[in-house]
Amino acid sequence: MPLPRLLTLIAAFCLTLGLIIGLVSSLTGLYSQVAWSASPLLANLLIFLIIVLLGTLIFALFYYFRLLQRPGKVKGKRAINPKIPIIKSEAASENLKAIRQQVDRIQDEVARQALLLRAREIEASMARGNVRIVVFGTGSAGKTSAVNSLVGRMAGQVGAPMGTTEVGETYTLKLKGIDRELAITDTPGILEAGVAGTYREELARQLAARADLILFVLDGDLRKSEYEPLRTLAEIGKRSIVVFNKVDLYPDSDRDEILTRLRQRVKGFVSAMDVVAISANPHKVVLESGTIFQPDPDMMPLIRRIAAILRAEGEDLIADNILLQSQHLGDQARKLIDAQRRRAADKVVERFQWIGAGVIAVTPLPVVDLLATAAVNAQMVVEIAKIYGCELNIDRAKELALSLAKTLASLGIVEGVIQVVSRALQLSVAGFVLGKAIQAVSAAYLTRIAGKSFIEYFRHDQDWGDGGIAEVVQRQFQLNRKDEFVKAFVKDAIARVVEPLNIYQQESEPELEMSAELEPEPLYQSLQSDDWETNSNKRQDDW
């Protein structure tokens, strides 16, 4: 607690204590005076009246203070509370507008049309304004029976089916006391075997994810395979009623025990009041006379709970779902754009890694020196930035390229790359050209790590993250040193760099023999030299 607030509380406590002590002292003196001059009975009555008056005064002060603090009371009239659903619907509309702008940047025609179609569906839901109730669960739990019984027992007129799934239909109906229409949809059963079962379950999950209210139907205690989808739906913000069906098959004691266990298992993400027991299609009973009796479905606990939820939360459920759907669609659009940008940026990195290798291959110095390719890396940074919508000048790009090169050197990644490439090339390349090939391929490898690191930098709005540039570079080095990648990379490098370098070596053999006599200088030594900027600028200008 802050010191000023603590001192204020201490002062207030001391003042209150002093007033109480003074009040008690005054009442004691008054009691003594009245008791001495009149009678003790009259003194007691007087003190009692004073205490009642003080209590009434304190209560009145607190009561009127709360009235002043309570929002929505203006001149004795009931104020209109802000309509949260309208605000959420406006937010959803803004999300849909932003999605349309994003969709224009998506190159995949199929994905673009799918997003536009889903956006139109959300807009249609906003215009229709009905409550979408989805019945979800395993195929054997009695979902279809529950839908049929609901449609048959709910008061009001039932409309024609709006559409169909593989095992059911969507009906619109009116419930007494609820202003909005209800759209109740049966879904394919989950946890079915085979490819067809997996497809049907995915369809059911999609329908449930778009619902305003979910009826999760069970025919017994909650199994682990059912707990996972129920918990997942709750985590994405879906309101669910857990419906314990087929209770006519259980004795009353077993039914109550199962209900208790269900409420315990879903505690924390489904309210105990939202766990109800029904009998959608009771089994026929043979009476003593031999007559077969068909009991009526017992759906009233579920109907009453649906009505209570919709009266209390119906508008919010619809608004929350519309907002959730628009946000989810926006996330899909951003993921598509991000994947599209990644593919374009990867092509830029691949192009510049071989350009960097070519620069080293034709450089007369027999060393792997990233400063010789600094201008190449800077131009790569500019092009990656442009893909991510960032306008970057060449000077800033050079700063970023040099900063990353220093990090590569300080972390020992340069030496690590040379070792990895050397081991891989020694198995495929022999002769004097091996040394030059190691330098060129290592330069390509390092350019690739740099490019991948810059992609992460621009993907996160020009931010290296909490771990900084070192963590990003280390992670990219680890990702790009796996055996499968190294083999594929070296194979590609031999075709693109080593073989052309061998031809160049044969055509320029005298010059190569002279350069072979030069003593190589380690890359990390040149990267850590005092005249870093001077060497860098000179090499970039030469390039």
Side-chain angles (χ1 to χ4, degrees), residues 141-343:
K143 297 185 287 70
T144 302
S145 297
V147 172
N148 293 336
S149 296
L150 278 174
V151 171
R153 292 299 302 272
M154 281 187 171
Q157 184 178 3
V158 179
M162 290 180 2
T164 60
T165 66
E166 289 189 11
V167 295
E169 298 173 333
T170 297
Y171 292 93
T172 59
L173 61 147
K174 287 284 294 181
L175 183 63
K176 287 182 179 180
I178 305 298
D179 295 332
R180 295 184 181 273
E181 282 189 336
L182 309 184
I184 301 181
T185 303
D186 191 6
T187 62
I190 62 173
L191 307 177
E192 295 179 358
V195 176
T198 302
Y199 169 76
R200 287 155 60 85
E201 178 170 345
E202 181 60 29
L203 174 61
R205 288 176 182 261
Q206 290 177 6
L207 291 170
R210 298 173 185 178
D212 299 316
L213 180 64
I214 295 171
L215 307 183
F216 199 100
V217 182
L218 309 169
D219 59 356
D221 198 1
L222 184 66
R223 295 186 288 267
K224 183 178 180 181
S225 55
E226 294 170 318
Y227 177 87
E228 182 272 329
L230 177 60
R231 182 62 183 263
T232 300
L233 290 169
E235 287 176 349
I236 65 173
K238 292 299 169 184
R239 179 66 183 273
S240 299
I241 299 177
V242 176
V243 182
F244 174 26
N245 191 18
K246 302 183 181 181
V247 294
D248 57 296
L249 301 180
Y250 298 88
D252 291 347
S253 58
D254 292 348
R255 180 195 61 191
D256 294 340
E257 184 180 348
I258 292 174
L259 271 174
T260 301
R261 284 204 302 266
L262 282 173
R263 289 175 175 135
Q264 290 174 347
R265 296 188 197 284
V266 301
K267 186 178 180 180
F269 58 93
V270 175
S271 169
M273 296 172 57
D274 291 335
V275 180
V276 298
I278 65 167
S279 179
N281 186 21
H283 281 208
K284 296 177 181 179
V285 178
V286 180
L287 303 178
E288 292 181 359
S289 62
T291 306
I292 298 177
F293 173 69
Q294 176 64 64
D296 291 332
D298 182 14
M299 302 297 295
M300 290 312 298
L302 177 57
I303 293 173
R304 284 194 292 266
R305 191 58 197 152
I306 291 174
I309 290 175
L310 295 184
R311 289 192 186 103
E313 311 170 36
E315 301 300 314
D316 280 334
L317 286 178
I318 295 171
D320 287 339
N321 187 38
I322 290 174
L323 182 58
L324 179 66
Q325 295 301 317
S326 66
Q327 291 172 342
H328 179 66
L329 194 62
D331 291 339
Q332 286 183 302
R334 283 187 289 273
K335 287 178 181 177
L336 286 170
I337 292 174
D338 182 61
Q340 179 178 297
R341 286 172 167 173
R342 286 289 295 266
R343 290 192 296 269

Side-chain angles (χ1 to χ4, degrees), residues 281-534:
N281 186 21
H283 281 208
K284 296 177 181 179
V285 178
V286 180
L287 303 178
E288 292 181 359
S289 62
T291 306
I292 298 177
F293 173 69
Q294 176 64 64
D296 291 332
D298 182 14
M299 302 297 295
M300 290 312 298
L302 177 57
I303 293 173
R304 284 194 292 266
R305 191 58 197 152
I306 291 174
I309 290 175
L310 295 184
R311 289 192 186 103
E313 311 170 36
E315 301 300 314
D316 280 334
L317 286 178
I318 295 171
D320 287 339
N321 187 38
I322 290 174
L323 182 58
L324 179 66
Q325 295 301 317
S326 66
Q327 291 172 342
H328 179 66
L329 194 62
D331 291 339
Q332 286 183 302
R334 283 187 289 273
K335 287 178 181 177
L336 286 170
I337 292 174
D338 182 61
Q340 179 178 297
R341 286 172 167 173
R342 286 289 295 266
R343 290 192 296 269
D346 286 342
K347 290 180 180 178
V348 170
V349 172
E350 186 174 359
R351 175 159 53 89
F352 276 93
Q353 71 186 17
W354 302 126
I355 291 175
V359 170
I360 291 296
V362 299
T363 301
L365 295 176
V367 293
V368 182
D369 194 345
L370 276 183
L371 294 179
T373 60
V376 176
N377 289 341
Q379 187 59 38
M380 177 180 67
V381 173
V382 171
E383 294 196 21
I384 293 174
K386 190 178 296 183
I387 290 173
Y388 283 91
C390 305
E391 293 297 330
L392 206 66
N393 59 46
I394 193 64
D395 292 332
R396 174 58 180 158
K398 289 177 180 178
E399 291 177 8
L400 288 171
L402 291 174
S403 175
L404 193 137
K406 289 179 180 179
T407 303
L408 288 169
S410 64
L411 295 175
I413 292 178
V414 175
E415 294 175 282
V417 166
I418 294 175
Q419 292 174 4
V420 169
V421 171
S422 298
R423 285 196 300 267
L425 283 177
Q426 284 172 356
L427 302 176
S428 306
V429 181
F432 176 78
V433 77
L434 175 62
K436 198 66 177 176
I438 291 173
Q439 298 160 25
V441 176
S442 297
Y445 202 117
L446 291 166
T447 300
R448 180 181 181 84
I449 293 174
K452 293 289 187 178
S453 300
F454 283 123
I455 289 175
E456 293 301 309
Y457 173 72
F458 289 109
R459 279 188 68 221
H460 296 91
D461 298 324
Q462 301 184 61
D463 185 5
W464 290 112
D466 296 336
I469 185 174
E471 182 178 321
V472 175
V473 170
Q474 283 279 24
R475 184 168 61 250
Q476 291 303 319
F477 176 55
Q478 296 301 326
L479 290 174
N480 287 274
R481 68 179 301 178
K482 296 178 181 178
D483 292 340
E484 296 80 4
F485 169 76
V486 172
K487 290 177 182 177
F489 184 84
V490 169
K491 182 179 179 180
D492 198 9
I494 290 173
R496 292 174 178 268
V497 178
V498 178
E499 291 179 357
L501 183 62
N502 198 17
I503 295 173
Y504 177 79
Q505 162 69 21
Q506 294 173 359
E507 294 176 351
S508 309
E509 188 171 350
E511 295 181 9
L512 288 173
E513 289 178 356
M514 292 177 60
S515 64
E517 297 175 0
L518 296 175
E519 183 162 351
E521 171 190 11
L523 168 61
Y524 61 87
Q525 182 176 342
S526 64
L527 287 174
Q528 295 174 346
S529 61
D530 295 334
D531 56 346
W532 168 282
E533 298 293 341
T534 303

Side-chain angles (χ1 to χ4, degrees), residues 4-15:
R5 182 178 297 180
L6 180 62
L7 294 176
T8 303
L9 288 175
I10 293 173
F13 176 78
C14 294
L15 178 62

